[in-house]
């Protein structure tokens, strides 16, 4: 069993979060039928740091946790999962 220190966990969490924030995908519902389609697929990410093995995850549109969906207050969000 692999153990990880609190410092190692916090460093890995920060590295993973920085990776997610480095290239967020901003998207709006723009399909002709007003649905935004999200494709669920397996992805891998280095959860314990950049030089550690990657872990298999499920993500949307090639990323984990997935794209950022931005909409105006009161706007209906319609999402189709593939």
């Amino acid at each position: 069993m692999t153990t990880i220190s609190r410092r190692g966990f916090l460093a890995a969490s920060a590295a993973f979060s920085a990776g997610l924030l480095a290239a967020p995908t901003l998207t709006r519902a723009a399909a002709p039928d007003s649905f935004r389609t999200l494709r669920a697929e397996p992805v891998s990410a280095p959860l314990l740091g950049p030089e550690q093995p990657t872990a298999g995850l499920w993500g949307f549109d090639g990323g984990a946790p997935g794209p950022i969906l931005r909409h105006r207050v009161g706007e209906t969000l319609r999402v189709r999962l593939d």
Side-chain angles (χ1 to χ4, degrees):
M1 182 170 155
T2 302
T3 60
I4 184 170
S5 68
R6 185 178 356 198
R7 180 175 290 173
F9 176 76
L10 292 174
S13 298
F16 181 69
S17 298
L20 293 176
L21 295 175
T25 304
L26 301 176
T27 183
R28 295 184 66 81
D33 60 358
S34 75
F35 276 90
R36 169 65 170 103
T37 301
L38 294 176
R39 186 180 64 241
E41 58 189 327
V43 297
S44 61
L47 297 180
L48 298 177
E51 296 184 17
Q52 299 296 320
T54 59
L57 308 168
W58 278 94
F60 296 99
D61 293 344
I68 298 171
L69 303 173
R70 296 202 184 259
H71 294 274
R72 294 184 185 97
V73 174
E75 191 176 65
T76 301
L77 173 61
R78 300 175 74 188
V79 178
R80 182 176 293 130
L81 180 61
D82 279 349

